[in-house]
């Protein structure tokens, strides 16, 4: 039983990472109806920026805030410069654009900061949390930040005018435009917010997976999986999906014989697909009924 | 926004419709391209011939994805898995059971058809990004499955398998590379002709009806489930043959040659060539083989970035890929003829 509790708690801790990433994925998906394959690389680049700022002698939280602002602006810039011209292009062309962006960011980060692994500090410390051996303070901090982020987003989307405008622009762009919402800028705003959330995810993960240009590869896959499991239309679902994927991944690695580390990912994905076959819109997703 | 554009904007996963006549090249152009494909190796070095062979079998794999996505509107990131099955079936049969190489390919095709058809069953309920994730899962699982212990006896585990290159038959005075090129060319041509005819047949029209509007198609009496899985099966079979050809040409199979990167390359090839335009498959294959080399030549450290920028340039200039270039060329030729 102790092993089980241990594994579940460790799963929740890694799940927090996936949840953050899934949240960023859902943000962009809501805004533009695409999965952004470059999201992980964008988060990695932001994390490198914060690392560089700290190397220059800034404190953690100052670097954190500057990085958030930078990521927000960079996200908007990427949308305005690279993807707005593609808005009318076929969907698959957009996906190719994401892959191109992935290649550009990954390669540039490698050139600027090279591919060696770097230590990344944690603001929470790495001592055991509340004297328990199960999770560290950093892991507890990750869970806390994710929950705060989710609450913040909830209030933003439910109780602010701009949040409402963004939701309107995402669900019925034509009508939103008619009531005077600038849908094109709402999309850019969605990019900015998603990039900033991705940056938070990156900075929280970096102490665990270490900082290097390919650090987000695996995490992004889990983030996608979590978002799809929870339902791509629901930020809350994405977070629950993240925790579920984290827990399941750990339990499968421990209890299913012959799985080990190598087959963890395929098993987790197989589970998600089985869920999707039963509930095609994800656990918390809205099922969109289309008029014929 | 025109009515047609609105339809596309509404069903976001919809692949744009390509009329079935516009799926191929005209007779004249086809003959010229074919003559070029036959003649060039006669004057080229062995390495260039090897690259051309590579172009052909990767083009075949892109063609297979094009039948699935351009034809039936289903998006797949899992093609590398079927490619791996084809390559491994061929390699294992050739090396462990001494079956001649040309007999391995049909077996690979049949097995991959089965695998694709079976995979299409659960995938039936999924579309768009959900299907992308499911196929993606297949692609990530495949290299791990190939490394499994109990298969190691045949597959050689992590080390992979070395495949012997076949000699030209009947004592033909050809290098192995050249013979393999012509062999590949014949196989690819046969499958290309099959694919064109498939998409023009009753089944092909069913695929396209599903792609354009699934509900309308089923209302017209198209068995949507059957044709969707059939498209998966046919696409997997062709991908398997491409994989088999690659195993023979590269003379080596190993689990890590068939990762998700391969699936992404095939996808890029399809987009660059033009979704739903079959001749574009070869253009797309040329893009994914040669452009990384060009990028490497421009800048070693930034080759990934250069590749990304080139890709962006292509999709800005011609969002519909090589098909758009072909249509422009056609219009230009038509105007010249009038004058």
């Amino acid at each position: 039983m102790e092993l089980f509790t241990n594994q579940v708690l460790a799963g929740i801790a890694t799940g927090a990472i996936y949840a953050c990433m899934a949240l960023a994925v859902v943000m962009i998906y809501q805004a533009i109806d695409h999965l952004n394959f470059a999201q992980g690389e964008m988060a990695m680049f932001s994390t490198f920026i914060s690392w560089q700022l700290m190397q220059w002698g800034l404190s953690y939280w100052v670097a954190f805030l500057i990085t958030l602002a930078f990521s927000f602006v960079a996200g908007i810039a990427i949308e305005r410069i690279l993807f707005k011209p593609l808005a009318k292009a076929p969907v698959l062309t957009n996906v190719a654009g994401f892959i191109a962006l992935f290649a550009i960011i990954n390669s540039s980060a490698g050139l600027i900061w090279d591919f060696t692994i770097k230590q990344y500090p944690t603001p929470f410390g790495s001592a055991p949390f509340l004297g328990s051996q199960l999770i560290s303070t950093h892991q507890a901090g990750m869970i806390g930040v994710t929950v705060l982020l989710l609450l913040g987003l909830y209030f933003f989307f439910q109780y602010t005018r701009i949040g409402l405008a963004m939701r309107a622009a995402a669900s019925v762009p034509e009508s939103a435009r008619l009531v005077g919402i600038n849908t094109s800028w709402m999309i850019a705003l969605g990019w900015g917010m998603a990039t900033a959330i991705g940056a938070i995810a990156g900075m929280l993960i970096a102490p665990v997976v270490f900082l290097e240009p390919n650090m987000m590869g695996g995490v992004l896959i889990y983030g996608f999986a979590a978002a799809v499991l929870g339902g791509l239309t629901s930020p809350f679902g994405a977070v629950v999906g993240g925790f579920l994927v984290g827990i399941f991944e750990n339990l499968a690695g421990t209890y299913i014989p012959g799985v080990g580390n190598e087959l963890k990912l395929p098993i987790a994905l197989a589970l998600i697909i089985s869920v999707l076959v039963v509930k095609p819109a994800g656990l918390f997703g809205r099922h969109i009924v289309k008029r014929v | 926004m025109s009515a047609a554009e609105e339809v596309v904007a509404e069903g976001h996963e919809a692949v744009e419709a390509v009329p079935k006549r516009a799926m191929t090249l005209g007779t004249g152009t086809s003959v010229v391209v074919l003559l070029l494909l036959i003649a060039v190796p006669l004057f080229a070095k062995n390495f260039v011939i090897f690259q051309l062979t590579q172009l052909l079998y990767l083009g075949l794999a892109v063609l297979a994805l094009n039948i699935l996505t351009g034809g039936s509107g289903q998006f797949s990131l899992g093609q590398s898995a079927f490619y791996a099955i084809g390559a491994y079936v061929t390699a294992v049969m050739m090396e462990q059971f001494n079956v001649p190489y040309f007999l391995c390919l049909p077996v690979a095709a049949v097995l991959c058809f089965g695998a694709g058809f079976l995979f299409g069953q659960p995938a039936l309920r999924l579309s768009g990004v959900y299907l992308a994730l499911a196929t993606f899962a297949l692609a990530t699982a495949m290299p791990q499955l190939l490394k499994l212990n109990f298969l190691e006896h045949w597959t050689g585990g992590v080390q992979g398998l070395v495949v012997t290159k076949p000699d030209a038959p009947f004592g033909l005075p050809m290098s192995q590379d050249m013979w393999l090129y012509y062999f590949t060319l014949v196989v690819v041509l046969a499958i290309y002709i099959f694919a064109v005819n498939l998409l023009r047949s009753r089944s092909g029209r069913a695929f396209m009806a599903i792609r354009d509007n699934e509900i309308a198609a089923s209302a017209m009496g198209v068995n949507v489930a059957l044709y969707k899985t059939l498209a998966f099966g046919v696409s997997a079979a062709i991908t398997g043959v491409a994989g088999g050809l690659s195993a023979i040409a590269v003379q080596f199979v190993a689990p890590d040659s068939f990762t998700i990167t391969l699936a992404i390359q095939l996808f890029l090839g399809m987009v660059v060539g033009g979704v739903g335009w079959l001749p574009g498959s070869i253009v797309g294959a040329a893009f994914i083989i040669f452009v990384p080399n060009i990028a490497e030549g421009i800048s070693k450290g930034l080759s990934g970035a250069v590749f990304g920028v080139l890709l962006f340039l292509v999709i800005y200039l011609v969002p519909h890929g090589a098909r758009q270039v072909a249509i422009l060329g056609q219009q230009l030729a038509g105007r010249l003829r009038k004058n």
Side-chain angles (χ1 to χ4, degrees):
Chain A
M1 198 59 207
E2 201 190 316
L3 179 69
F4 180 79
T5 335
N6 270 347
Q7 291 300 327
V8 169
L9 278 175
I12 291 177
T14 40
I17 300 176
Y18 305 154
C20 262
M21 210 58 222
L23 210 51
V25 167
V26 165
M27 286 294 304
I28 284 216
Y29 186 80
Q30 289 282 64
I32 59 173
D33 267 3
H34 295 308
L35 285 180
N36 180 359
F37 289 96
Q39 193 113 50
E41 302 313 285
M42 285 159 55
M44 173 272 292
F45 202 88
S46 301
T47 312
F48 261 114
I49 297 279
S50 69
W51 179 82
Q52 187 65 61
L53 290 171
M54 280 185 262
Q55 291 294 305
W56 286 335
L58 294 178
S59 75
Y60 184 91
W61 292 110
V62 176
F64 185 88
L65 289 178
I66 296 179
T67 305
L68 280 197
F70 165 84
S71 309
F72 185 74
V73 175
I76 291 180
I78 289 176
E79 198 276 334
R80 291 281 109 175
I81 300 167
L82 292 179
F83 287 97
K84 195 163 175 275
L86 288 179
K88 286 250 164 84
V91 180
L92 296 180
T93 308
N94 269 288
V95 178
F98 291 128
I99 296 172
L101 182 64
F102 181 102
I104 293 173
I105 298 182
N106 188 286
S107 168
S108 321
L111 191 79
I112 303 174
W113 291 290
D114 75 51
F115 286 89
T116 52
I117 291 173
K118 294 173 178 62
Q119 291 276 354
Y120 191 88
T122 158
F124 308 110
S126 48
F129 181 61
L130 296 178
S132 111
Q133 294 299 315
L134 297 177
I135 55 174
S136 68
T137 40
H138 179 75
Q139 287 169 319
M142 284 193 313
I143 297 171
V145 171
T146 311
V147 171
L148 277 181
L149 198 59
L150 189 64
L151 283 176
L153 282 177
Y154 175 78
F155 282 107
F156 175 76
F157 281 115
Q158 288 297 325
Y159 297 109
T160 62
R161 284 183 68 87
I162 193 144
L164 181 66
M166 280 178 76
R167 281 195 296 150
S171 54
V172 264
E174 268 79 31
S175 318
R177 221 171 287 141
L178 284 177
V179 296
I181 294 170
N182 189 340
T183 47
S184 152
W185 271 100
M186 291 302 136
I187 291 174
L189 203 57
W191 268 84
M193 286 177 63
T195 314
I197 296 172
I200 296 179
M203 288 186 277
L204 289 177
I205 305 161
V208 185
V209 297
F210 298 110
L211 186 58
E212 49 114 3
N214 296 319
M215 70 183 230
M216 298 302 278
V219 179
L220 181 67
I221 295 171
Y222 285 110
F224 277 150
V228 172
L229 176 67
L232 278 166
T233 48
S234 156
F236 172 74
V239 170
V240 175
F243 285 119
L244 284 179
V245 170
I247 294 169
F248 179 75
E249 177 206 21
N250 261 323
L251 291 182
T254 321
Y255 289 107
I256 303 178
V259 168
N261 266 330
E262 298 277 88
L263 279 176
K264 254 183 177 180
L265 179 61
I267 294 271
L269 289 171
L271 169 88
I272 291 158
I273 292 159
S274 352
V275 172
L276 285 181
V277 168
V278 183
K279 269 184 87 71
L283 291 175
F284 299 93
R286 259 180 305 126
H287 201 86
I288 297 163
V289 181
K290 259 190 250 163
R291 254 181 69 181
V292 186
Chain B
M1 209 187 252
S2 74
E5 271 175 280
E6 254 168 54
V7 170
V8 173
E10 231 173 74
H12 235 294
E13 57 279 317
V15 174
E16 47 158 347
V18 179
K20 64 179 195 280
R21 264 168 203 276
M23 279 192 161
T24 52
L25 293 171
T27 324
T29 332
S30 307
V31 170
V32 172
V33 171
L34 184 59
L35 286 178
L36 272 177
L37 283 174
I38 293 175
V40 169
L42 298 174
F43 310 101
K45 289 200 189 98
N46 273 344
F47 178 67
V48 178
I49 297 178
F50 168 74
Q51 279 194 320
L52 287 173
T53 315
Q54 202 183 5
L55 181 70
L56 286 177
Y57 64 71
L58 273 178
L60 187 63
V62 177
L63 177 86
L65 181 59
N66 228 336
I67 293 176
L68 185 66
T69 308
S72 80
Q74 302 180 88
F75 175 49
S76 167
L77 276 176
Q79 296 299 100
S80 62
F82 301 119
Y83 195 87
I85 296 177
Y88 262 93
V89 166
T90 307
V92 170
M93 282 176 72
M94 278 173 74
E95 294 311 305
Q96 315 279 23
F97 302 106
N98 286 320
V99 180
Y101 59 97
F102 47 86
L103 290 181
C104 299
L105 295 179
V107 179
V110 170
L111 282 175
C112 286
F113 180 84
F117 194 82
L118 287 180
F119 185 78
Q121 295 290 344
L124 265 183
R125 279 174 64 88
L126 308 172
S127 65
V129 284
Y130 298 98
L131 184 61
L133 186 85
T135 49
F136 177 85
L138 184 68
T140 48
M142 192 47 76
Q144 309 293 355
L145 296 178
L146 291 172
K147 285 178 195 163
L148 286 181
N149 279 335
F150 69 94
L151 289 175
E152 202 169 340
H153 179 59
W154 290 296
T155 59
V158 186
Q159 266 90 43
L161 272 181
V162 176
V163 179
T164 347
K165 211 170 221 181
D167 283 316
F170 323 119
L172 286 174
M174 270 186 198
S175 67
Q176 286 173 324
D177 284 309
M178 197 184 276
W179 162 245
L180 197 59
Y181 173 83
Y182 284 115
F183 175 72
T184 308
L185 183 63
V186 169
V187 174
V188 171
L189 268 182
I191 294 180
Y192 177 78
I193 293 169
F194 163 77
V196 169
N197 284 305
L198 174 75
L199 288 181
R200 284 183 179 162
S201 71
R202 197 181 145 86
S203 311
R205 284 197 301 275
F207 288 168
M208 281 179 254
I210 293 171
R211 173 195 70 191
D212 295 340
N213 193 330
E214 204 174 311
I215 300 164
S218 82
M220 287 191 305
V222 172
N223 185 340
V224 172
L226 175 70
Y227 281 105
K228 273 182 139 179
T229 40
L230 205 60
F232 247 105
V234 170
S235 170
I238 298 176
T239 314
V241 174
L245 287 168
S246 86
I248 304 171
V250 182
Q251 297 173 267
F252 181 61
V253 289
D256 289 328
S257 333
F258 308 109
T259 55
I260 186 73
T261 316
L262 175 66
I264 291 175
Q265 283 179 326
L266 295 178
F267 165 75
L268 288 181
M270 177 179 70
V271 171
V272 170
V275 180
W277 191 56
L278 298 184
S281 306
I282 287 284
V283 183
F287 184 89
I288 55 178
I289 296 172
F290 299 117
V291 172
N293 291 346
I294 298 170
E296 192 100 340
I298 294 175
S299 159
K300 268 236 145 62
L302 272 177
S303 59
V306 175
F307 176 76
V309 171
L310 289 175
L311 185 56
F312 258 122
L313 278 182
V314 169
I315 59 180
Y316 278 146
L317 296 176
V318 279
H320 299 269
R323 181 163 70 95
Q324 210 169 348
V325 180
I327 292 172
L328 280 177
Q330 234 170 16
Q331 285 169 346
L332 208 67
R335 217 171 289 161
L336 285 179
R337 222 170 284 156
K338 261 183 214 158
N339 289 340

